């Protein structure tokens, strides 16, 4: 790796940054420089439509600001009037625009919005003709307002429009330069990437045509490019492919920019792409040094909020000197903070890769600025900031070193108006260019970033924030975390610790996994003789009395010890999952973490639930409700989660005082064997936990039929669950409880307000990850007819980009299905669909030598009721819909399954209404539908999808227990002494 780990203690890094600035800044001298700028802006604020003014009138933290932001994000892309009306009514209906505002224009706008709300339909009422006409008028006006808003933050819808606006600005301020950003999301398909490439080529040629041929890159306008827009798989796992395919594309742009002597900056992206970006950047730098050594316009954007920012500056400076180049480097604060925080929490990483205190980011920015200014031979610094204090500090540190300042178009105009009066430092405007509907994600990101209560832009617009607070020094360390670290996501000790994960993009974190894979073998597991089933149950029954009497705290301690041991052995178990269950590395890590979470969660739940509960009643007696174990439980687990579900079932039974006869899937017994060994080593008695490997038809059936079984917990097919249910019902003796979690025809409903790129990401992850071999996997995609064609085309292209092959390779997205039987079953369904449906995704050529490999497939079918069977593999069926979404959900309900449902919409009230109508166990809104987290998203369904209760939830363990009420007459020996004492 080029840089240190991104996951280090924040306080240590901040201490280092402080040390690097020692003696470089006197903040007391900075404040008097920045203060006049702030006062002037507050005295003559920007116009109402400027970002600062909008944030003052409609803060993002308010219902009004959030409603307007959501409308701006979604309304322009909605193709049909019905959805546009519903979206507008939903968002404006959630806010109160009748309140007073600070300016006349703001009061007029609020009054207009409040009046418009009266023409919009109530979500519960059926609108009449006049209401519909009025609603359409309101939506048309709202659309126009959003388009006008877009004009404030997007320089032009084409590069020609943008350059015309830039020429006007040049005439007003000769010190202004522009860096054009051709707006768009990251590419999902190669067609997207090539379209963005053409857009960049056209933009560079247009900028070159208008550039000063005698000018330098510092003097000419330039362009910023996004690498993720130029390659659909711009991620570390696809490193070889990216270097092979992306570098030539970017080099084409570099040649055009170099020939015109323009500044071309590679924009910064997420933390997990940084090392890959540096590899691409240095490959290009080497080509620049060889073929265009006089070009001084090549550059990179760097994010100060990353904890590795200073090391990045030092490394890029080293690249420049190594290749004898002068680079142009833009320093920004960073725009993906919330996404980086969530990713670290979800992956269970040890620390955050970004600073969690805003002033720590400001401090990092200044430390990076000093380092950039210290290398004028290698770097031309470009400081992008709207913070008056930061600008004043840079001016103080720079001395005679040349540099430029940068701001976003539509933001920071007030501050820079004042700065440009007092200094001759050039200013470059980062100027988005593109269709207004393409600006939406960008605009919302800017609004969220600058609308945060702690941001300088927000506080500048708030007259209640005093000068001392606004220009407070960032040069100090706050040792108190502003957020719990990912391991403490569920609270400080003694709360359950979050399982620890791996960032596979970090070489040092993935190396132990690859080493374990090289050393791991899959052990042969002896088959259990089904004839001995009754004896095994008898042994479990004999062991039950002792285990059930073991204090719940000791049983919980066994599970926690097992969890810690499993966490420590994560690489070995991941390797075993890859080798025996054909998991990809990402899926393997996630499964080990889920198993750790199950062990810890059920330990906590058992201690909580199995304490006697005192119940109220009449004086003179005590009443307690107690839970106790039932006896021997048969745990039958599947091959698709051979560790997590296996250990989840076993842990739940053991924690509640039951003994366990564990029957793993016959395809994955080695994983189960290692899990049982781990539990035995942690203190679970061998008699209390027996591993019984063999076919379900013989060993599983014999265990279910054996006398003395107190309960059965099963995960697998609906067909087998029904067989078990009938077998238990036919037995003599006690009624035996069954907990069954089965599959489902899991659907995702997408309306026309959804963001297509977000939909495609969710669909591809839900349908094809894990080769579609998840109970929760997406089987049926329901697309609104207004957006179906472009979304289908994007899904087709995104699925084509997936790599199917050997799961041991980091680049593999889709591994083989579990065995030949599964392969043949899926192939039968594919042959049927080939004759009955329209193929949307044609399978790519599978690499040779990989058995049972099925690449992603997708088909369009005419109606929901044509989808009658769950296809347990990477096969997606698509149906178009129109009309009322409630009717679509009812059609899904009629299929009889009820496990997971996805809803993609920006209409909040619609999402809630559809979720309430759906007969499913887990509903996911605006995300994928897989990867339920223990204790966060309890998992399980209804109908044909299972019995409940939900695994990983607070209602699961009681099903393993018998209940006992103990009532004691406390007056039996001489009267009610407690009552008499209370009266006395």
């Amino acid at each position: 790796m080029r840089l240190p780990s991104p996951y280090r203690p924040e306080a240590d890094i901040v201490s280092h940054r402080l040390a690097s600035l020692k003696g470089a800044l006197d903040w007391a001298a900075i404040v008097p420089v920045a203060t006049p700028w702030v006062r002037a802006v507050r005295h003559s604020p920007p116009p109402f439509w400027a970002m600062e003014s909008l944030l003052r009138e409609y803060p993002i933290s308010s219902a009004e600001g959030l409603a307007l932001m959501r409308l701006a994000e979604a309304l322009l892309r909605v193709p049909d009037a019905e959805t546009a009306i519903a979206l507008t009514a939903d968002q404006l209906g959630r806010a109160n625009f009748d309140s007073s505002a600070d300016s006349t224009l703001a009061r007029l706008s609020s009054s207009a919005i409040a009046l418009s709300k009266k023409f919009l339909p109530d979500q519960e009422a059926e609108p009449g003709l006049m209401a519909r006409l009025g609603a359409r008028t309101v939506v048309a006006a709202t659309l126009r307002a959003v388009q006008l808003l877009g004009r404030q933050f997007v320089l032009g819808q084409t590069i020609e429009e943008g350059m015309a606006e830039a020429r006007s600005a040049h005439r007003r301020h000769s010190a202004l330069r522009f860096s054009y950003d051709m707006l768009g999301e990251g590419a999902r398909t190669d067609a997207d990437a090539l379209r963005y490439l053409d857009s960049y080529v056209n933009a560079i040629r247009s900028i070159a045509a208008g550039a000063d041929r005698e000018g330098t890159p510092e003097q000419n306008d330039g362009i910023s490019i996004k690498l993720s827009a130029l390659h659909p798989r711009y991620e570390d796992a696809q490193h070889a492919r990216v270097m092979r395919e992306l570098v030539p594309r970017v080099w084409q742009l570099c040649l055009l920019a170099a020939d015109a002597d323009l500044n071309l900056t590679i924009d910064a992206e997420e933390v997990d792409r940084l090392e890959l970006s540096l590899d691409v950047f240095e490959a290009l730098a080497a080509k620049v040094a060889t073929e265009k050594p006089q070009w001084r316009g090549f550059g990179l954007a760097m994010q100060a909020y990353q904890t590795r920012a200073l090391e990045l500056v030092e490394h890029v400076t080293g690249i420049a000197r190594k290749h004898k180049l002068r680079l142009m480097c833009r320093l920004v604060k960073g725009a993906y903070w919330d996404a980086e925080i969530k990713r670290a929490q979800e992956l269970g990483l040890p620390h955050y890769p970004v600073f969690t205190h805003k002033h720590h980011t400001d401090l990092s920015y200044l430390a990076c600025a000093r380092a950039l200014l210290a290398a004028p031979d290698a770097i031309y610094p470009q400081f992008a900031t709207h913070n008056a204090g930061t600008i004043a500090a840079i001016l103080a540190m720079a001395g005679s070193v040349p540099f430029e300042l940068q701001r976003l178009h539509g933001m920071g105009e007030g501050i820079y108006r004042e700065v440009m009066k007092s200094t001759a430092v050039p200013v470059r405007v980062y100027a988005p260019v593109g269709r207004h509907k393409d600006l939406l994600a960008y605009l919302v990101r800017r609004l969220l970033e600058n609308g945060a209560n702690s941001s300088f832009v927000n506080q500048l617009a708030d007259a209640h924030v005093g000068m001392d607070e606004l220009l407070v020094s960032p040069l100090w360390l706050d040792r108190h975390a502003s957020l719990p670290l990912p391991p403490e996501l569920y609270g400080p000790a003694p709360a359950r610790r979050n399982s620890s994960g791996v960032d596979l993009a970090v070489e040092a974190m993935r190396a132990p996994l690859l080493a374990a894979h090289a050393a791991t073998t899959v052990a042969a597991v002896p088959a259990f003789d089904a004839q001995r089933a009754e004896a095994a149950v008898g042994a479990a029954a004999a062991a039950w009395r002792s285990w059930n009497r073991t204090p719940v705290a000791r049983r919980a301690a066994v599970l926690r010890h097992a969890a810690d041991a499993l966490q420590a052995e994560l690489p070995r178990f991941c390797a075993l999952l890859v080798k025996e269950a054909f998991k990809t590395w990402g899926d393997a890590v996630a499964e080990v973490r889920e198993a750790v979470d199950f062990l810890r969660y059920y330990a906590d739940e058992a201690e909580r639930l199995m304490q006697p509960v005192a119940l109220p009643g009449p004086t003179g007696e005590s009443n307690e409700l107690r839970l106790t174990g039932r006896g021997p439980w048969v745990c039958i687990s599947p091959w698709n989660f051979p560790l997590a579900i296996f250990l989840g079932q076993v842990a739940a039974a053991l924690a509640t005082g039951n003994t366990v006869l564990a029957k793993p899937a016959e395809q994955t017994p080695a994983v189960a064997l290692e899990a049982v060994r781990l539990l035995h080593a942690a203190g679970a008695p061998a008699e209390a936990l027996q591993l019984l490997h063999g076919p379900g038809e013989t060993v599983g059936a014999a265990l279910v039929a054996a006398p003395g079984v107190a309960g059965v917990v099963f995960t697998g097919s609906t067909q087998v669950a029904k067989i078990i249910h009938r077998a238990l019902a036919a037995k003599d003796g006690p009624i035996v409880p069954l907990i069954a979690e089965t599959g489902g025809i899991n659907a995702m409903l997408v309306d026309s307000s959804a963001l297509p790129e977000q939909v495609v990401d969710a669909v591809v992850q839900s349908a094809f990850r894990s080769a579609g071999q998840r109970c929760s996997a997406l089987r049926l995609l329901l697309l609104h007819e207004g957006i179906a064609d472009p979304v289908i085309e994007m899904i087709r292209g995104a699925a084509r980009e997936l790599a199917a092959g050997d799961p041991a390779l980091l680049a593999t997205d889709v591994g083989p299905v579990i065995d030949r039987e599964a392969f043949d079953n899926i192939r039968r369904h594919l042959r049927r669909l080939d004759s009955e449906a329209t193929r949307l995704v044609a399978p790519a050529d599978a690499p040779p030598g990989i058995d049972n490999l099925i690449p992603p497939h997708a088909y369009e079918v005419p109606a929901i009721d044509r989808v009658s069977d769950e296809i347990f593999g990477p096969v997606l069926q698509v149906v178009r819909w129109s009309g009322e979404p409630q009717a679509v959900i009812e059609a899904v309900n009629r299929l009889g399954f009820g496990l997971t449902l996805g809803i993609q919409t920006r209409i909040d009230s619609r999402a809630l209404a559809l979720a309430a109508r759906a007969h499913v166990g887990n509903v996911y809104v605006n995300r994928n539908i897989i990867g339920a987290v223990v204790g966060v998203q309890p998992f399980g369904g209804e109908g044909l999808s299972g019995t409940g209760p939900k695994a990983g939830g607070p209602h699961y363990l009681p099903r393993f227990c018998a209940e006992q009420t103990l009532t004691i007459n406390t007056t039996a020996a001489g009267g009610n002494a407690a009552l008499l004492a209370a009266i006395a």
Side-chain angles (χ1 to χ4, degrees), residues 50-65:
M51 174 73 80
E52 296 93 321
S53 301
L54 285 171
L55 290 173
R56 182 178 67 249
E57 304 297 349
Y58 305 118
I60 295 301
S61 56
S62 70
E64 293 75 25

Side-chain angles (χ1 to χ4, degrees), residues 127 257 289 405 475 523 585 641 716 745 849 890:
L405 296 168
L475 305 178
W585 285 107
F641 283 89
I745 300 178
E890 291 296 350

Side-chain angles (χ1 to χ4, degrees), residues 226-246:
K226 191 175 184 179
L227 296 182
S228 61
L230 292 170
H231 199 282
R233 298 304 307 278
Y234 186 63
E235 54 196 83
D236 184 79
Q238 305 298 323
H239 186 281
R241 183 182 168 194
V242 166
M243 298 302 291
R244 183 175 64 251
E245 297 174 2
L246 176 62

Side-chain angles (χ1 to χ4, degrees), residues 149-171:
L149 179 66
R151 291 185 60 185
Q152 309 310 314
F153 307 110
V154 174
L155 195 63
Q157 297 203 67
T158 65
I159 187 64
E160 291 77 17
E161 283 185 18
M163 291 178 63
E165 290 291 329
R167 283 192 293 271
S168 297
H170 278 306
R171 286 192 290 270

